[in-house]
Amino acid sequence: MAVNAKRCENIVAQDGEVVGAACRVPYYPLVVKSGRGAIIEDADGNEYIDMLSSAAATNVGHSHPKVVDAIIEQAREVIHYTPVYTYHEPLVKLAKELTEITPGNFKKKVVFGLTGSDSNDGMIKLARAYTGRSKIISFIGAYHGSTYGSISLSAISLNMRRKIGPLVPDIYHINYPHCYRCKFGKKEESCNLECLQDFEDKFKSYLPPEEVAAVIMEPIQGDAGLIVPPQKYVKKLYDLCKKNGILFAVDEVQQGFGRTGKWFSIENFGIEPDIIVMGKSIASGMPMSAIVARAEIMDAVGPPAHAFTTMANPICCKAALATINVIKEEKLLEHSKNLGEYTKERFNKMKDKYSLIGDVRGIGLNIGVDLVKDRNTKERAQEAAAKICYRCWEKGVLLTFFANNVLRVQPPLVITKEQIDKALNIIENSIVEYLRGDIPDEVLKVAKGW
Ligand SMILES: Cc1ncc(COP(=O)(O)O)c(C=O)c1O
């Protein structure tokens, strides 16, 4: 157990009485009280090195002083006046900044939302309105959020979709290129992109390409287990879209804002998308999301089809401007790339020692460690992931897993080498303890993940 857990236990017990389960994915009973940089303190005063960044929503670290100052200063001016009816300067400044840091040397425009999910809904509206087509292609394993539109785009969990239908129609899901677990039994070095051919077959049999408005892709599929597609796949998919008049949209909600050592993860593939959806770290965890798209696409949707009263809240806009400045000033893109390479190397060394680790992948401080029961069958080691994450929490590291068995390593980009070393040592010790059978089954009642 964590050193001291009294207050935390009490708060968690009360929470269970009054909060609905639909919004929860439990790993351990952590009650967050405060955070600075890459360190979180719980309600009992225990400290943790954060390897999760509030689900990649706090890339510049917790309560960065420059972000905090920006929030306080703006709160003193005005907390909110809706930009649906009026205008404000932080919104305009932020929109300009976003058009500059996003890839694409063409005129872009921006609309804001409150959370990644609603901006993915907005993407559907833009794509349909601009092209006059209704069909949207997404991927199996995609997580795009939990509003109706974004759930309809997602295909990662039956529980997310059960009992709540009908969902938004005319959305189709194709296989994501997952080289470690290739559905077509191929090796990346020698494959002929059978996964893309599989998609093209759909265009020849039942899915008329001229009715498809957009393909929406996570350039690195996050919640499905941090899957990095081959560059050649993304390029050919983009070309296929262009050939058929289909918009290429990317969801950067989790992978954006320096996570992969670039402002946006699609830059790792040399593609300029038509629509970019962003959220999470944009404003360091304040409720904000945005869509940046080619101006002509944005202009296709009339008012007030994507207007929210509290959108582009000026406090959130100031927090976002401060966040972007911190990423620039503290050179967090380089830091993410360099420390990410180091971290990946350390996990690869662990892979040499423990056959439990089947694959280590990712770009930047954005690493998935795929735990398997057997390296040949690649059967997912779900229990191992749950137990290791729980033990890490007990020892002062916040680590989670996704896709049942993939350790999710996404610390705040401001994390230091000393902190990451300490966290990696604790993770390795927890792996050893798991392999020795030292972590009791009891923890599985709590560490469920998804
Ligand atoms: C890739 C991706 N898109 C969209 C979302 C939804 O964002 P939000 O939870 O802010 O609505 C998430 C959240 O985890 C995500 O990872």
Side-chain angles (χ1 to χ4, degrees):
M1 282 300 294
V3 189
N4 178 6
K6 231 172 158 190
R7 274 181 65 82
C8 290
E9 276 172 13
N10 189 293
I11 293 166
V12 172
Q14 290 183 53
D15 179 289
E17 295 294 320
V18 289
V19 178
C23 64
R24 286 272 154 72
V25 178
Y27 292 96
Y28 26 72
L30 170 73
V31 179
V32 174
K33 180 173 161 284
S34 63
R36 293 286 173 279
I39 302 295
I40 286 291
E41 189 187 333
D42 74 13
D44 289 301
N46 303 302
E47 283 196 352
Y48 306 84
I49 301 171
D50 185 12
M51 301 296 268
L52 177 63
S53 307
S54 177
T58 53
N59 284 2
V60 302
H62 301 288
S63 296
H64 191 293
K66 290 195 171 160
V67 178
V68 173
D69 286 349
I71 290 171
I72 293 171
E73 273 167 30
Q74 181 56 45
R76 289 216 175 89
E77 288 284 331
V78 68
I79 289 177
H80 192 59
Y81 204 98
T82 183
V84 177
Y85 299 143
T86 61
Y87 302 86
H88 66 79
E89 197 175 9
L91 182 161
V92 178
K93 281 192 171 158
L94 178 59
K96 277 191 186 162
E97 187 71 57
L98 293 177
T99 61
E100 276 160 26
I101 62 171
T102 40
N105 198 13
F106 39 76
K107 186 163 167 48
K108 299 170 213 154
K109 284 191 178 175
V110 184
V111 284
F112 291 96
L114 301 161
T115 189
S117 306
D118 66 43
S119 281
N120 275 315
D121 285 25
M123 181 283 300
I124 302 175
K125 297 174 200 169
L126 291 183
R128 285 182 171 171
Y130 178 71
T131 60
R133 305 171 175 190
S134 64
K135 296 183 178 11
I136 308 280
I137 310 271
S138 180
F139 287 87
I140 295 172
Y143 183 78
H144 293 293
S146 62
T147 52
Y148 262 98
S150 57
I151 283 190
S152 308
L153 293 171
S154 303
I156 189 168
S157 150
L158 286 176
N159 267 350
M160 265 183 85
R161 299 168 67 101
R162 275 194 177 113
K163 301 194 275 189
I164 60 164
L167 299 179
V168 173
D170 240 3
I171 295 177
Y172 299 80
H173 294 89
I174 61 171
N175 283 310
Y176 197 87
H178 189 355
C179 298
Y180 180 63
R181 291 194 156 78
C182 178
K183 291 244 160 54
F184 303 90
K186 301 287 170 183
K187 293 257 175 292
E188 185 180 349
E189 317 74 67
S190 54
C191 83
N192 289 316
L193 292 180
E194 282 74 4
C195 45
L196 195 63
Q197 288 172 22
D198 184 59
F199 173 30
E200 287 187 272
D201 283 349
K202 298 181 183 8
F203 277 171
K204 291 176 198 148
S205 48
Y206 69 95
L207 197 55
E210 71 280 5
E211 290 182 15
V212 176
V215 167
I216 172 88
M217 181 177 202
E218 291 169 82
I220 293 178
Q221 209 178 39
D223 287 7
L226 230 118
I227 304 164
V228 184
Q231 185 135 8
K232 59 182 179 181
Y233 176 95
V234 185
K235 286 212 153 110
K236 289 212 163 157
L237 175 66
Y238 178 80
D239 291 344
L240 184 65
C241 287
K242 292 296 114 181
K243 194 175 119 197
N244 289 290
I246 298 168
L247 299 177
F248 189 74
V250 289
D251 179 338
E252 293 277 358
V253 172
Q254 183 182 125
Q255 299 292 319
F257 291 94
R259 183 51 55 199
T260 67
K262 306 266 186 198
W263 280 105
F264 297 95
S265 63
I266 192 64
E267 294 171 69
N268 293 291
F269 301 89
I271 299 288
E272 295 179 349
D274 301 302
I275 304 176
I276 304 179
V277 177
M278 56 190 79
K280 288 194 190 266
S281 275
I282 183 173
S284 288
M286 297 288 281
M288 166 168 274
S289 64
I291 313 174
V292 179
R294 288 179 181 272
E296 62 272 23
I297 299 175
M298 197 61 86
D299 289 340
V301 177
H306 198 68
F308 310 102
T309 307
T310 54
M311 69 200 268
N313 171 289
I315 299 175
C316 299
C317 291
K318 284 283 185 74
L321 286 162
T323 301
I324 292 168
N325 274 339
V326 170
I327 294 176
K328 289 181 185 168
E329 281 168 13
E330 300 187 13
K331 301 195 178 355
L332 294 182
L333 302 185
E334 289 93 316
H335 189 64
S336 173
K337 179 176 177 289
N338 297 336
L339 203 55
E341 275 166 15
Y342 169 78
T343 307
K344 209 165 132 183
E345 202 178 295
R346 280 215 48 193
F347 276 115
N348 272 317
K349 285 190 181 139
M350 291 186 218
K351 184 179 159 204
D352 292 340
K353 288 199 254 177
Y354 314 110
S355 61
L356 176 67
I357 299 180
D359 191 34
V360 176
R361 50 184 181 254
I363 309 176
L365 277 169
N366 185 46
I367 296 165
V369 182
D370 198 317
L371 304 183
V372 291
K373 289 187 183 170
D374 178 312
R375 279 194 181 166
N376 291 320
T377 63
K378 298 178 184 172
E379 190 184 342
R380 295 175 188 271
Q382 178 167 7
E383 212 177 280
K387 285 185 172 180
I388 289 164
C389 289
Y390 195 91
R391 181 52 53 92
C392 282
W393 169 69
E394 290 177 311
K395 288 168 171 267
V397 169
L398 301 182
L399 181 70
T400 59
F401 57 95
F402 32 34
N404 294 325
N405 70 316
V406 181
L407 303 181
R408 172 181 192 166
V409 181
Q410 293 180 326
L413 305 181
V414 292
I415 195 165
T416 64
K417 170 131 183 330
E418 291 68 33
Q419 288 169 330
I420 207 116
D421 270 330
K422 194 171 167 196
L424 289 168
N425 292 343
I426 291 176
I427 294 171
E428 180 160 9
N429 286 340
S430 302
I431 291 175
V432 171
E433 287 181 34
Y434 167 76
L435 292 172
R436 279 204 310 250
D438 285 353
I439 310 176
D441 287 348
E442 257 169 52
V443 310
L444 299 173
K445 286 188 203 143
V446 182
K448 295 203 165 59
W450 69 311

